[in-house]
Amino acid sequence: MNKEISVKNYFVYVVRYWLVIAICAVVGLGTGLLYAILSRTVEKTSFQGYITVGGVSTFFGDVGEVTEGQAAIYDKVKSNLFSAMTAYPLRVKLYREVQNEWETLTKNTENPQSAQKAFFESFGLWTDGISMYVSFTQEYTTYKVDKLRSEKDAFSEKIVNRYLELALVNAQAVENYQTSPILDKLTSVQASEQLPSTEELGMDILKGCAVGLAGGAVGGLVILLAVWLIDRRITSYGDIAAMTGQRLFDVQKGKLSDKACPLIDCEMGGKNALLVTGTEETTQRLSELYASYTMHAGYKTLLLDFSRGKDSDTFGDYLGGKALGDCITDENGVAVLHGKNSWTAVLRESEKMDALKKEYGRLVICAPYYGDGSLGVLTSVTDKAVFAVDQGKMRRKDVLYMTQEMQRDEKYLGAAIENAGKSFVGGNTYVLVPAEE
């Protein structure tokens, strides 16, 4: 027996549990707000400068076609120059000059090793073609004041310019293959320039709230969808209608009332023996309500109670030959026979059952489902059957097992449901559309 799945039922389910959506949305809103506040909207600003080494003609003049020997000499000179200008000790020397200022600027005064590591990670040095490049990149968050931004920018530019000075001094100390100083073989130093800033990680507060709110609501919908799909309760009458009949006589959030009784009686169609089955307490309640209703409606009524709550077995006494009048007890104005396990003798004593049907205008058989085979026996001696379902206790599979034990679907009138929680989204009627041939 499959769960009845439809967009309408899911929508009703969501509306019933709107508080889950609201809570998830609020949690999402708070998460988005917190993320927007704590996340850093980072901008990185770089300053860059370079030194260009002269070409071959700088060293050899206009000599026409360059020989392999001249090219080799030039490559050696350029390599020596780049090695001199990119030597690691230069960076260490530069850091020592600006260490105090850098630690103060980055608020890293208590951890010199961490400050030094951050400095070298911000420092960039590489060669490309005939140029040696140096850059220094710093980041700052958008909510920092302009003063701090200016201080960082000024520091970055200072680092680039100072390194270019140190690189030139170091290059002068390198011997060249020619007699002239290396400095004469270099072009003038390009002044450092600020590169465009790039915005990275983070989001503003309004965007964070909007994304968090939407994400929380969607998350709530997904959670409810998963819960709804795995919910094995009878969430709509369509879940059990194919097994119990096409009529839902009543649904109550609490205990069943006698509202279902006249509807059930109308469906009897001239028959007089009605079997009521389901969870024990709900079966007893509906059986007593229907017996009381029919008695007040002018029918001579007898209630056969096969629930396990009574010690007496007056129905067994009747089947054993005792006079009916001596076996019947009056309970709240209704004539009652208690059966316990005497249901096993019903088929053997079919004549006495027929006598009861003739004697009474309404014979109500209270037969809770125990899984002991009693329903199959009792259904065979009744005319119609109604299911009394406690949604809080009974699952769809329980109804399936119950109807399989009875195996008399032509007798099923429908069901009445009590203790229906928010998960029950079915209406008061269920129409089974005939399948197309």
Side-chain angles (χ1 to χ4, degrees):
M1 180 168 55
N2 296 324
K3 178 184 180 69
E4 185 191 35
I5 296 177
S6 71
V7 175
K8 176 184 176 182
N9 285 349
Y10 172 64
F11 178 75
V12 175
Y13 192 87
V14 168
V15 171
R16 298 272 178 85
Y17 288 95
W18 64 269
L19 189 58
V20 174
I21 307 294
I23 292 175
C24 290
V26 171
V27 171
L29 175 64
T31 302
L33 178 61
L34 186 63
Y35 176 79
I37 293 175
L38 296 182
S39 66
R40 297 191 307 161
T41 302
V42 178
E43 291 182 7
K44 291 186 176 181
T45 302
S46 295
F47 279 83
Q48 179 176 299
Y50 57 89
I51 299 176
T52 300
V53 178
V56 177
S57 61
T58 304
F59 293 89
F60 302 104
D62 188 8
V63 295
E65 185 176 353
V66 179
T67 66
E68 291 184 4
Q70 290 173 327
I73 293 174
Y74 172 75
D75 289 340
K76 182 66 174 177
V77 171
K78 185 174 68 170
S79 176
N80 289 341
L81 289 173
F82 282 160
S83 296
M85 292 187 292
T86 59
Y88 181 72
L90 287 182
R91 279 166 276 177
V92 175
K93 180 179 181 180
L94 174 62
Y95 180 70
R96 289 174 179 172
E97 289 182 6
V98 299
Q99 180 177 356
N100 291 336
E101 184 179 357
W102 169 252
E103 290 178 354
T104 302
L105 186 65
T106 58
K107 300 180 180 179
N108 229 341
T109 56
E110 296 181 0
N111 193 341
Q113 291 182 345
S114 176
Q116 182 177 351
K117 180 181 177 181
F119 180 84
F120 286 120
E121 288 177 349
S122 301
F123 194 93
L125 190 63
W126 69 99
T127 60
D128 185 15
I130 61 174
S131 298
M132 184 278 298
Y133 294 88
V134 58
S135 70
F136 197 81
T137 303
Q138 289 206 79
E139 62 180 35
Y140 51 85
T141 54
T142 55
Y143 53 79
K144 296 294 184 181
V145 295
D146 291 338
K147 179 181 178 181
L148 180 57
R149 177 184 301 189
S150 300
E151 290 177 354
K152 285 193 172 184
D153 289 351
F155 183 81
S156 298
E157 187 173 15
K158 172 183 176 180
I159 293 298
V160 171
N161 290 331
R162 178 56 180 156
Y163 187 85
L164 292 176
E165 293 174 1
L166 293 175
L168 281 174
V169 171
N170 212 41
Q172 288 175 327
V174 177
E175 292 293 336
N176 190 8
Y177 292 108
Q178 303 296 322
T179 57
S180 57
I182 291 177
L183 186 59
D184 295 338
K185 311 303 181 183
L186 302 175
T187 63
S188 60
V189 178
Q190 173 69 36
S192 60
E193 60 180 354
Q194 182 176 0
L195 300 180
S197 355
T198 57
E199 185 172 338
E200 294 185 349
L201 181 68
M203 64 175 65
D204 58 45
I205 292 179
L206 184 60
K207 183 179 179 181
C209 291
V211 171
L213 184 65
V218 171
L221 290 172
V222 172
I223 291 172
L224 283 182
L225 177 61
V227 172
W228 181 61
L229 290 176
I230 66 176
D231 194 344
R232 294 294 177 263
R233 290 177 295 181
I234 302 163
T235 55
S236 73
Y237 190 55
D239 296 341
I240 61 173
M243 306 301 296
T244 62
Q246 299 181 32
R247 192 69 185 271
L248 180 59
F249 295 110
D250 191 20
V251 177
Q252 294 290 336
K253 293 182 178 179
K255 305 302 181 183
L256 284 174
S257 66
D258 58 1
K259 175 183 176 181
C261 296
L263 299 176
I264 295 173
D265 203 50
C266 289
E267 296 295 320
M268 288 298 291
K271 304 296 183 178
N272 69 332
L274 175 70
L275 179 137
V276 182
T277 185
T279 47
E280 184 174 62
E281 184 180 348
T282 307
T283 298
Q284 287 180 310
R285 183 174 295 107
L286 184 58
S287 298
E288 292 171 359
L289 288 171
Y290 181 70
S292 179
Y293 167 80
T294 55
M295 184 191 67
H296 287 94
Y299 293 102
K300 186 178 181 182
T301 303
L302 175 65
L303 173 62
L304 294 181
D305 186 359
F306 289 99
S307 60
R308 297 175 178 176
K310 301 290 184 178
D311 294 330
S312 59
D313 189 0
T314 53
F315 179 69
D317 295 337
Y318 165 69
L319 295 182
K322 194 172 182 178
L324 180 61
D326 296 333
C327 299
I328 290 176
T329 58
D330 184 287
E331 297 182 8
N332 298 320
V334 177
V336 181
L337 286 177
H338 293 286
K340 293 190 68 176
N341 292 326
S342 54
W343 58 268
T344 57
V346 165
L347 296 179
R348 187 180 69 244
E349 302 293 342
S350 59
E351 292 183 359
K352 291 195 174 184
M353 285 298 301
D354 291 338
L356 290 178
K357 290 182 182 180
K358 292 178 181 180
E359 177 74 17
Y360 292 93
R362 286 290 183 269
L363 185 61
V364 184
I365 301 177
C366 173
Y369 171 62
Y370 297 120
D372 56 2
S374 59
L375 291 183
V377 174
L378 294 174
T379 306
S380 65
V381 297
T382 56
D383 301 318
K384 298 292 182 180
V386 170
F387 296 85
V389 177
D390 182 343
Q391 195 218 10
K393 297 179 180 179
M394 184 167 276
R395 302 297 186 259
R396 287 176 286 133
K397 66 176 183 178
D398 300 326
V399 177
L400 175 61
Y401 297 153
M402 184 167 56
T403 55
Q404 286 178 337
E405 183 176 312
M406 296 170 72
Q407 296 183 347
R408 295 291 191 279
D409 58 341
E410 75 280 0
K411 296 184 178 183
Y412 303 159
L413 295 180
I417 299 176
E418 71 175 9
N419 295 327
K422 293 180 179 180
S423 60
F424 187 83
V425 299
N428 291 328
T429 59
Y430 179 83
V431 179
L432 186 63
V433 180
E436 295 183 3
E437 297 183 359

